Amino acid sequence: MIIKIDFQSDEALYMQLRNQIIMGIATSSIQEGDVLPSVRQLAGDIGINMHTVNKAYSVLRQEGFVTIDRRKGAVVSLNVDKLKALEEMKKNLRVVLARGCCKNITSKEVHQLVDEIFAEYEKQEEE
Amino acid sequence: MIIKIDFQSDEALYMQLRNQIIMGIATSSIQEGDVLPSVRQLAGDIGINMHTVNKAYSVLRQEGFVTIDRRKGAVVSLNVDKLKALEEMKKNLRVVLARGCCKNITSKEVHQLVDEIFAEYEKQEEE
DNA sequence: ATAAGTGTTATATTATTGATATAACAAAAG
DNA sequence: CTTTTGTTATATCAATAATATAACACTTAT
């Protein structure tokens, strides 16, 4: 699992970290049951503060992507509330698609993008 | 065009405003050539500060959704850079879809959501 | 022409957030 | 017993979000 932080980005560091871990789970480069590095370890590797990593982990826990075990640390374990997830996705898609729609992106083109991205996920699942 | 601001949300006011205007353009409840309310007017209607509206308009201008004319004000006019828009959408979709993918949302279900949302847009275009 | 309304700019203040820095604690592992 | 773990508590600094006045130049009505 390679984490790449962009210090020039206007996106918060802990948010970048959260998103990359989620994408790591989606591509199965991190799998359910895997243990994330300790907050101190990852902070040292990336070159950011311990608390920033801790905040990312806390958000991941609250959103149901990991459980935090005192003995093991942050363990990938998905708490699947599918109805909630679908609702959240629809809300997010409404914003993303509206932007594209204004720029003449068709539903067909969106479908293609979706397939491309899902292909990225399934491709790496075999590794 | 009805603007609904959630003061409890953790999303910045100017961002909520920006997104709702973009969704308004997508659903054609605001059309190309239409003039947005003046910053003072809209601020008064919503009950927020003039500068917050101004910031939303500035972002919309920078992102190519409106042009700002000294005599007319903020006019909806889409500066379509489709390649850039596709690139941006893919980046956004990667994050949104990864979250769903972890929660067992299938590509088929995403396709359905996309169709539902595009239907919302085209439905209101006829009004 | 006068008044009102427009976008724009400038400055200032307040509250919140993001990120960092130490420090300490209890629990678990070696 | 020492180290490492997550966790909590403070504190500080910088950046951002939102507000408040105020002023300027330009349109547009009256």
Side-chain angles (χ1 to χ4, degrees):
Chain A
M1 173 84 201
I2 304 118
I3 302 278
K4 200 74 198 145
I5 296 295
D6 178 7
F7 290 94
Q8 308 311 314
S9 170
D10 57 340
E11 198 179 15
L13 299 184
Y14 80 95
M15 280 298 213
Q16 292 185 46
L17 190 51
R18 180 200 70 156
N19 287 339
Q20 290 198 29
I21 290 171
I22 291 173
M23 290 193 278
I25 298 174
T27 63
S28 298
S29 71
I30 323 173
Q31 305 196 0
E32 193 141 16
D34 284 357
V35 180
L36 298 182
S38 79
V39 290
R40 290 176 174 84
Q41 167 102 43
L42 186 51
D45 289 354
I46 301 178
I48 64 177
N49 191 274
M50 187 195 92
H51 294 95
T52 307
V53 177
N54 193 260
K55 186 161 184 181
Y57 283 9
S58 296
V59 173
L60 286 168
R61 184 186 55 74
Q62 209 225 319
E63 294 180 336
F65 292 97
V66 304
T67 52
I68 292 178
D69 186 320
R70 169 155 289 276
R71 64 182 72 187
K72 292 181 194 166
V75 183
V76 177
S77 75
L78 305 170
N79 178 9
V80 177
D81 183 343
K82 198 162 176 180
L83 275 179
K84 193 175 156 195
L86 278 167
E87 213 170 297
E88 184 210 298
M89 179 176 280
K90 192 164 186 176
K91 197 177 167 191
N92 289 332
L93 281 180
R94 253 190 265 263
V95 178
V96 174
L97 296 195
R99 293 178 67 84
C101 185
C102 294
K103 304 289 180 147
N104 300 335
I105 294 179
T106 64
S107 66
K108 194 172 176 179
E109 288 169 313
V110 176
H111 284 303
Q112 193 177 331
L113 283 179
V114 171
D115 287 337
E116 282 173 28
I117 293 170
F118 265 90
E120 289 175 13
Y121 297 161
E122 280 144 27
K123 185 180 166 190
Q124 307 206 9
E125 265 175 36
E126 298 152 11
E127 291 173 14
Chain B
M1 174 84 203
I2 304 121
I3 302 277
K4 199 74 197 143
I5 296 295
D6 177 8
F7 289 93
Q8 308 311 315
S9 170
D10 57 341
E11 197 179 15
L13 299 183
Y14 80 95
M15 279 299 212
Q16 291 184 47
L17 190 50
R18 180 199 70 155
N19 288 338
Q20 291 198 31
I21 290 171
I22 291 174
M23 289 193 279
I25 298 173
T27 62
S28 297
S29 71
I30 323 173
Q31 303 195 3
E32 192 142 16
D34 284 357
V35 180
L36 297 182
S38 79
V39 290
R40 290 176 175 85
Q41 167 101 44
L42 186 51
D45 288 355
I46 301 178
I48 64 177
N49 192 274
M50 187 195 92
H51 294 96
T52 307
V53 177
N54 192 261
K55 186 161 186 182
Y57 283 9
S58 296
V59 173
L60 285 169
R61 185 186 54 75
Q62 209 225 319
E63 295 179 336
F65 291 96
V66 305
T67 52
I68 293 179
D69 187 319
R70 170 156 287 278
R71 65 182 71 186
K72 292 181 193 166
V75 183
V76 177
S77 75
L78 304 171
N79 177 10
V80 177
D81 182 342
K82 198 161 176 180
L83 275 180
K84 193 174 156 196
L86 278 167
E87 213 171 295
E88 184 210 298
M89 178 176 280
K90 192 164 185 176
K91 197 176 167 190
N92 289 332
L93 281 180
R94 252 190 266 264
V95 178
V96 174
L97 296 195
R99 293 178 67 84
C101 185
C102 294
K103 306 286 181 148
N104 300 334
I105 295 178
T106 64
S107 66
K108 194 171 176 180
E109 288 169 315
V110 177
H111 284 301
Q112 193 176 330
L113 283 179
V114 170
D115 287 336
E116 281 173 28
I117 293 170
F118 265 89
E120 288 174 14
Y121 296 161
E122 279 145 27
K123 186 180 166 191
Q124 307 205 10
E125 265 174 37
E126 297 153 12
E127 292 173 12

